[in-house]
Amino acid sequence: MVQITIDGKKIDVPEGITILEAARRNGIYIPTLCFHPRLTYFGGCRLCIVEVKGFLRPVTACTTTVNKDMEVNTSTAELEELRKLILELILSDHPHDCMLCEKAGACTLQELAYTYGVDGFQFAGERRRYSKRDGNPFIERDLEKCILCGRCVKVCREIQGVEAIDFGYRGFKAKICTNFEEDLDCEFCGQCVQVCPTGALTGKLWARKGRQMSLREVETVCPYCGTGCNITVHVNRNEIAKVTAREDSWNEGWLCVKGRFGYRFANSPERLTVPLIRKVPRGEGAPEKVEDLFREATWEEALDLVASRLLEIKEAHGPDSIAGLSSARCTNEENYLFQKFIRAVVGTNNVDHCARL
Amino acid sequence: MENNVVIRVCMGPAGIAAGGRDVLERFREALASAGLDASVKEHCSSHQVGCLGLCARDVLVEVHTDGQKHTYQYVKPDMVERIVTEHIAGGKPVSEWLVDDSFDAFYEKQVKVVLSHCGVLDPEDIDDYIASGGYEAIGRILKKCLPEMVIDEIKASGLRGRGGAGFPTGLKWELAREAAGDRKYMICNADEGDPGAFMDRAVIEGNPHAVIEGMMIGAFSIGASKGYVYIRAEYPLAVERLKLAIAQARKKGLLGKAILGTKFSFDIEIKLGAGAFVCGEETALIASIEGERGMPRSKPPFPVNRGLWQCPTVINNVETLANIPYIMRKGASWFASYGTEKSRGTKVFALTGKIRNTGLIEVPMGITLREILYDIGGGTESGKEIKAVQTGGPSGGCIPASMFDLHVDYESLAKVGSIVGSGGMIVLDEDDCMVNMARYFIQFTQAESCGKCVPCRVGTKRVLEILDRITQGRGRPDDIAKLERLCKGIKSTSLCGLGQTAPNPVLSTLKYFREEYEAHIIDKKCPARVCKALLTYWILEETCTGCGACRRACPAEAISGEKKKPHRIDPEKCIRCGMCYEVCKFSSVERE
Amino acid sequence: MAGLAAIFGSGAMTNSIREIEGMDAIFIIGSNTKESHPVIANRMIKALHRGARIVVADPRSVPMTRFAEVHLKMRPGTDVALLNGMAHVIVKEGLMNREFIEAATEGFEEWKRSIEEFTPEEVERITGVSRDDIIRAARIYGEARNAGIFYTMGITQHTCGLDNVKAIANLAILTGNIGRESTGVNPLRGQNNVQGASDAACLPNVFPGYQKVGLPEVQKKFEEAWGVKLPDSPGLTSTEMIIAAFEKRLKAMYIMGENPVVTDPNAHHTVKALETLDFLVVQDIFLTDTARLADVVLPAASAFEKEGTFTNTERKVQRVRKAIDSPGQARDDLSIIMELSRRMGYPMEYSSPRDVLREWGELWPPIQGITYERLEEEGLQWPCPDESHPGTPYLYKDGFPKGKVPFSPVSFNPPAETTDEDYPLVLTTGRNLFQYHSGTMTRQVEPIEAHCGTPYVEISPGDSRRLRIRDGAAIRIVSRRGAVTVSARITERVAEGTVFLPMHYREAAANLLTNDALDASVKIPELKVCAVRVEPVKRR
C-alpha cells in the first residue's frame, strides 16, 4: 500500500494501480470514454486527465500508476475547461441525431455532453461522412458515431482473439476498418457492441425495438451451450428487444453470437401456441401440411388424452413399455419432476436425456 | 607525379540529383584517357563521399593535390576534362570554377563532430572508417571499461538527445541499465520526418559506421544484445549503405556473437518505416517494430522501463548516436568544451527556405541565430530582409528577426516557444505569410496524426479549418480567441509529442505576428501577398502601354482593353492567378 | 460423463471456468472450444495473454488451433493412442508427479507397462501426428505447474469413448494435475443444462444425485420420499429406447424438448422406430421433425418464459428468470407435468419451482445449501451442503471420494466402422459457431440463417481435386445408412481423407449418415466417425 493524496484527501491504495482505479475505489469520479476495466489501457479520449504535482502537463488517470506521496487533483477549473474542450471536439464530429439513435439513454457520450452542457457547435466544421452500410446481418456499424476510443479493436484482439478490425487511415480521416474495408465477416460475438460507448456499434436486430427508458431488464442465463453465461434480457412490452451481459457477471459481459443475437426464436411466428392432436396415421404417405397432420385441441382434451393413453398402455404392456426422454434445455426443476413422473407415476426407469449427443 | 591526388565528388542525394554520378564517371574516364592511370593509379582515387554540406552549390568536387585542397562548385560532366587536364595534369586550378570566399565563410563558424567524416570517408568501405580511428572506442571499451564507466563518460559529456526533446543521453542509458529485465533493446531512430530536415540521412549515407559504433557502445552500456535501426523506406541510399555497413561489420566480427573475443554479443536489424511521420515518436516506433499500427502509447511507462516487447529499451536518434564514438574517442571534456552549460557539443541544422547557402551545417550549441543566418547562411539570395526563422519543423515555432541574437540551445529556444527539434531551420522573408506558414504546418500534422487521441485528431482539424478560412478571407472576429483556446488545449492534452507540439507554429506566430492574423481577418488583406483569395489585381493606367501581354496571358479572360490603350481587370472574373503580374514588362500590374 | 465418474467419483468438470486464467498449460482434445464454447475460449485466450501454453488435439484445424503452440492433427478415432503416447513421453522423461502417484493413485506399475508399446514412433504410425509434436505436447502438459484438460463429444462420441476418457484421466493423475486450483479434467457440456438434467437424474440408472437404482437404501429413501413403490432395475438409455421402439418392446414415449430425429445417429432408423410406437407425446416450443411424428403435441414455454434454475458445465446452479409471457396457450413444462401427474392419479403439489428445488435438495445433500434466496445474487457451485457453504469451485481438494484413484490401462481399438473401397472417406460431425444442436432455436433467428443457414460439408483441397469438386458445388455424401446432398466447402481445416458435416441442418441431417454403434458401457453412439463416399451431383 502507498499513501497518495487525491483532491486533498489522503488515501491508502495498493501499489501498481492507476490513478483512475485509486479514485474509483474511493468514490472519486473522473469522466472517461475510452477506458474499459477489462481491456488494456488506451489513453485516447483524454477525458480522464488529472493534474499531478511535478508533471508539466496533465496526465491521463487511466494510464498513470500511483507512486508514493503522489499528489493528484482530479478537478480544477483548468481541467474542467480542457475536458469541455475535448467533448466539444468530439461532438463537433458527431451526428446530432440522438432522437433517432438506438443508444440514446444508454450512451456515455450523450451523458457526458449533458453533464458538461456541451453541444459541439462551437467548433462546427467538417464531419466524417460514410455512405456505405456494412452488409453483415448482425452488427450495425455507424462509423459516423464512432469516437475512435479503440475499445472494439482491443476487445476483438484481447478477448476474442479475432482481430477483425483495426485503425485505418490517419488524421481526421482515421477510422476503424475491416480488412480492405469489406463487410465485417467475423465470429459476430458482439463483444465490440457490448463495449462501444456510443451508438456506433449496435445490433441490427435492435433497430427500433425500444430504447433504454422503455426497456425492462431481466437477469437470466443463456439458453444455449453449457457455459451458462449470465445474460440480461431487455424486454419491450412482450418482446425481447435485445440481449446484453453485465460486465460484473462472471462472464464479464462476454457472450457469443448465439447468446447475444440468437434470442429471436422466442418471438418467432413458428412457435407452437395450442395443443395439437394427430388426425392421420403415422408412416409413409403422411401429409406435409401441418393442418392436414394435426387438429388444434384444448389443453383439457390433450392432457386427458395423454393421461388416458399412457394409463392404458401401462395397463396393457406394463410400465417398462413406456419411456420418457427429457431435455438438457429444460430447467433442473422440470427435469427433476419429469424423471419423478416417469419413475413414480409411470413406474419405469426408462428415462434419459440427450447428454450423450 | 609523386604526390597523392584525391578527388572527392559529393555524392549526397543533392549531389546525385545534380549529376554527381556522371561527374564521377567522367573523372574516372578522363583520368584514364589522360594516361594518368598508368602513372598515378595507386595514388589517385575517386571516392564517392557523403554530403559535403553546401547542397546549393552541387555538384561540389574537392581536388586534393600535394597537400592542397581546391573546391569546385556547380561542376557539370563537361567541365571534368578541363579540370583533369589543367589542374590535375597541369597543376593549375581552373580558377573561375572554384568556390568564392563566401564558401569558406560557410565553414568558418562551423565545428564538425558528427559530420567530421561525412564527405571524407568512403561510406561503403569499413576499412576507411577503421583507418580514421573508427571502432577504436568500442574495442577499448570492451576490453577495459565497465558499462557504468561509459555511462559516466556520456553523462559528463552533457550530450542530449538530438531527435527533439533533448533528454540527457547518459541519464537515459543509466535508467535503462538500472531497469529490471533480462532482455533489453537498443534502437536507432532514423525515421527522420520533419519537412526540410535531412541530417540523419546525411549521417547514415556519409558515415554509417559511426552510427553502428554508437549503437554498440549504447548496447554495451545498457546490456542489450539486440538492436534495431528504424529507418524510412524513402531513404533507399541510406538503407543500402547501412545494410552494407552492417554486413561489413559482421564480417569483421564487430557485430554478432562474442564481439572481439569478449562476452559482448550484439547484432542489428533494419526495420523499414512506411513513411508515417508519427513513427518518429518513440512509442509509435516501438509499436511499429512490434508489427502493430504505429500509434503512440501513453507515457509513463517510459520505454527505458517498458519499451519494445515490454522490455527496457533505449531509443536514440541517428545524430545522437553518431556523436558517441567521437565522445568516447576524444573524451567527455573535449565534447563539453563546445556549447553552453546546459547544451553541450554541436548540433547539425538543415538550412532551407529564403537563404543563400541552403544545406547542412554543424555548429556549436549557443551560437546565435544571427551568426547562423547571416555568417553561415549568407542572408537571403534576393537581398530582402529575413522576417523570421522556423526552427524544429512542424513541431517548432517561429522566431522573429527581432530575436535573432538568441543563443541556439534547448532552453533558449523553448523559452521563446520553439524547439531545437531535429534541427530544421526554415528561413522566411517578407514574401512569406505567417498565417499561411502556420496553416501549412498544421495541415501537415493533421494529415500525419495517427487518430488515436481526440485533441490531435479533431483539434488540429478544427485549427486547420479556422486557418483555412482566415487565409481565404472568411476569418471571423472571434477566430483568434478560438485558435488560442484550441491550441492551448491541444498542447496540454494530446497524448504524444506530435500533438503536444503541433500548435507551436500557430501559437508562436500568434505571439509574434498577431498583426498579420488581424490583417487577414479584419482588413481582409494578406500583407505578404501570398493568400490568393485576399489579393486584388489592378492595372496602373499611367504606365500601361496597352501591349496586350496581360490580356493574352489571362486564363480567365478577365482583362480587356483596346490595343495601345490602358487595359483593365474585371475583379469579378479575376481568379488571382498572378499571370498578368508576371508577364507585364512595364510593372503596370499592381496587387494588394 | 459416466466414464469420469467411475474414475474420480464425479463426472463433472473439476474446475470452474474462472480458473482457466490461472492455468499454465491448457490441453484441449476433441473440443472445438472456440465455436462450441466461445466464452470459455475467451478465458483460454486470456490465459494465453498471461503466458499459458495451449495444445490442441483435433483431426480438424479448429479455430482454437490459431492459439495453440502445438496442434496434434490426428486421424479421427485415434485419441487413445495419442494420449497413451503423451503419457509414454511424460514417463520416459520423468515429468510425472511421483509424490501424487504415491499418495493418491494405484495401479501405476501395471499401467506403466501397458503404455510401453506407445512409443512416439508407434503413435506417429497410428495417429499420423509427427513424433516431435507428440513429444512437444507431452512436455508442455508435463512440465506445467497447473495444467487443465478440456474435452467434449470429440472424445466421448466414439465406440471407445470410455477408453478415451480413461486415457485422459491417466494423464491428469500421472502429473498430479487434479484437485488443485486451475488444474483438472474438464468435460465441457454442450447444452445449457446437461449437467442439471444429469444431476436431476433424467438417467435410467440413477435417482437424483447419482444415487444408484437398485441399491436397497436408495430405493427405500426415494420410495419414502415420494410415497410410492419404485422400479429397481435400470431402464433404457435414449439410444436403446429407439432400438426398443423399433423392436416393438416399447409402446409409448413421452419426449420433452428433444428432437431425436435430427440429433440421434442413423436418422432413418430413428424415424421408423418412432413411427412404430403406439403412442407418442412430444412437448416442445416448435413443431420439430420429431413432433411431426407425435400423436399429441404440447406447446411449451421457452427458456425466456419460465422461472427455474440451470446448472452449467462447472456445476454452477444459476437462476433462470421469466422475461416474457409464452405465446398463445403455451405452458411451462412444470405445470404440464403436474397436470398429467394429477390426471394419472398422483397429484404433485408444488406452488413454484422453488419447492421442487427444495425437495430435490432434501434428497441430495450436495445441493441442499442452494436456495433461490442465495441464487438471487450469483450462482452456486455444488457441492454446497448447507446454507452457509460458499460452494465448491474445484473438486477433490481434500482427496477423492473413492479413496485412491486407479490408473486404467487402455488399449487402442480402431473405430467401429473403417473405410474401405466403397466408402473411402471418414466422416466426422460436430457443430459450427452459429447454429446450435438440432437448430430448433437458431434456425428461427433471421441473421443466423442469413449468415450460416445453408448446410455444407468441409472437404480438403486434396480430396476435392481428386474428386473434381469445386468450391460451393453440390455433392452427395453416402454412407452405409443413407445419403445427403450439401454444398462443398473446400478448406484446409479438414485433413485429406476426412470430411466434416455440421449436425444442425435437418435438410442435410448428418445423422442420416452416422453409425448408431454404441460404446458398450456408457451407451454413447459413435457420431464422430463413420465411413462415407462423396459423389458430385450432376446438374439436371
Side-chain angles (χ1 to χ4, degrees), chain C residues 417-420 422-423 478-482 512-513 530-532:
Chain C
E417 190 172 275
T418 49
T419 54
D420 57 23
D422 292 335
Y423 300 98
V478 189
S479 81
R480 293 190 174 89
R481 288 154 296 277
L512 290 169
L513 309 174
C530 78
V532 294

Side-chain angles (χ1 to χ4, degrees), chain C residues 197-212:
Chain C
S198 303
D199 296 347
C202 282
L203 293 171
N205 59 338
V206 290
F207 286 107
Y210 308 99
Q211 304 178 67
K212 280 240 163 70

Side-chain angles (χ1 to χ4, degrees), chain B residues 20 182 216 241 243 285 344-345 363 367 371 388 395 418 448 452 495 503 535:
Chain B
D182 302 335
M216 290 173 73
R241 289 200 170 148
K243 274 187 187 158
L285 187 152
R344 299 283 184 193
V363 291
I367 191 171
E371 285 174 286
S395 308
S418 186
E448 293 294 337
K452 181 170 175 172
L495 190 154
L535 291 181

Side-chain angles (χ1 to χ4, degrees), chain C residues 162-445:
Chain C
L162 180 58
D163 287 345
N164 288 343
V165 174
K166 284 178 179 169
I168 285 174
N170 290 338
L171 266 187
I173 57 175
L174 177 65
T175 52
N177 273 313
I178 192 152
R180 284 178 295 129
E181 193 172 346
S182 296
T183 67
V185 177
N186 299 293
L188 302 177
R189 302 299 196 167
Q191 301 184 56
N192 58 349
N193 202 30
V194 182
Q195 187 66 48
S198 303
D199 296 347
C202 282
L203 293 171
N205 59 338
V206 290
F207 286 107
Y210 308 99
Q211 304 178 67
K212 280 240 163 70
V213 163
L215 289 181
E217 67 273 19
V218 172
Q219 292 294 126
K220 186 163 166 271
K221 176 177 173 183
F222 281 92
E223 282 170 6
E224 272 173 16
W226 293 348
V228 64
K229 179 82 184 130
L230 293 171
D232 58 3
S233 56
L236 301 171
T237 65
S238 62
T239 24
E240 287 171 332
M241 286 176 196
I242 301 299
I243 298 165
F246 191 74
E247 293 169 354
K248 304 197 174 168
R249 283 183 282 127
L250 212 56
K251 302 294 180 189
M253 274 188 85
Y254 177 9
I255 300 178
M256 176 173 82
E258 260 310 302
N259 190 7
V261 170
V262 178
T263 56
D264 281 24
N266 199 351
H268 284 310
H269 183 259
T270 308
V271 171
K272 284 221 182 68
L274 294 177
E275 282 176 353
T276 312
L277 289 169
D278 287 353
F279 188 62
L280 174 64
V281 189
V282 175
Q283 188 169 310
D284 211 318
I285 62 173
F286 289 103
L287 194 70
T288 62
D289 288 344
T290 306
R292 291 178 73 90
L293 302 173
D295 291 280
V296 179
V297 180
L298 302 174
S302 79
F304 294 118
E305 295 151 14
K306 55 195 176 190
E307 301 285 336
T309 57
F310 284 152
T311 306
N312 76 351
T313 187
E314 50 172 353
R315 298 167 279 105
K316 194 193 297 179
V317 182
Q318 306 189 98
R319 265 293 260 128
V320 176
R321 293 184 184 83
K322 179 174 171 168
I324 52 173
D325 294 327
S326 295
Q329 301 174 29
R331 290 185 186 179
D332 68 89
D333 300 293
L334 220 54
S335 66
I336 300 172
I337 298 166
M338 289 200 288
E339 280 291 330
L340 279 178
S341 188
R342 186 175 60 77
R343 282 174 164 77
M344 291 174 72
Y346 185 94
M348 294 183 181
E349 301 296 340
Y350 302 98
S351 61
S352 72
R354 181 182 301 248
D355 297 349
V356 180
L357 184 69
R358 193 176 303 128
E359 177 181 310
W360 181 20
E362 280 161 13
L363 292 164
W364 186 37
I367 58 158
Q368 204 156 13
I370 301 176
T371 66
Y372 270 50
E373 287 71 28
R374 293 187 70 191
L375 292 180
E376 269 314 305
E377 282 304 306
E378 229 194 333
L380 284 165
Q381 284 170 285
W382 64 252
C384 177
D386 61 66
E387 290 206 24
S388 58
H389 194 284
T392 309
Y394 61 96
L395 299 177
Y396 316 127
K397 188 180 179 180
D398 307 312
F400 301 93
K402 296 182 172 176
K404 289 198 168 186
V405 183
F407 276 95
S408 327
V410 277
S411 52
F412 169 67
N413 294 305
E417 190 172 275
T418 49
T419 54
D420 57 23
E421 241 171 65
D422 292 335
Y423 300 98
L425 296 171
V426 176
L427 170 79
T428 170
T429 66
R431 292 179 175 181
N432 65 33
L433 171 65
F434 295 92
Q435 299 284 0
Y436 175 72
H437 215 55
S438 72
T440 308
M441 298 192 286
T442 46
R443 302 212 65 192
Q444 298 290 334
V445 181

Side-chain angles (χ1 to χ4, degrees), chain B residues 147-274:
Chain B
E148 288 78 4
M149 293 160 68
V150 180
I151 290 171
D152 284 345
E153 189 75 7
I154 298 298
K155 280 168 84 176
S157 77
L159 176 67
R160 292 168 66 173
R162 299 300 195 231
F167 193 85
T169 306
L171 181 58
K172 192 185 259 189
W173 289 9
E174 187 172 58
L175 290 170
R177 163 133 209 106
E178 286 167 359
D182 302 335
R183 276 188 306 153
K184 293 179 184 179
Y185 293 99
M186 180 80 211
I187 296 177
C188 169
N189 183 352
D191 191 58
E192 188 172 48
D194 282 5
F198 56 99
M199 55 286 289
D200 291 350
R201 186 187 62 190
V203 169
I204 291 182
E205 286 174 359
N207 194 4
H209 287 288
V211 180
I212 293 172
E213 190 179 358
M215 285 180 77
M216 290 173 73
I217 295 168
F220 171 77
S221 307
I222 65 169
S225 56
K226 171 95 195 187
Y228 291 91
V229 178
Y230 188 89
I231 183 165
R232 300 169 59 117
E234 293 93 326
Y235 283 179
L237 182 63
V239 173
E240 199 183 298
R241 289 200 170 148
L242 191 62
K243 274 187 187 158
L244 188 68
I246 290 172
Q248 287 174 346
R250 279 191 194 131
K251 218 169 187 179
K252 291 242 183 236
L254 288 161
L255 288 175
K257 295 228 157 68
I259 293 167
L260 300 174
T262 63
K263 277 192 220 153
F264 177 59
S265 297
F266 180 65
D267 209 341
I268 296 174
E269 194 178 317
I270 296 178
K271 286 274 175 182
L272 293 186

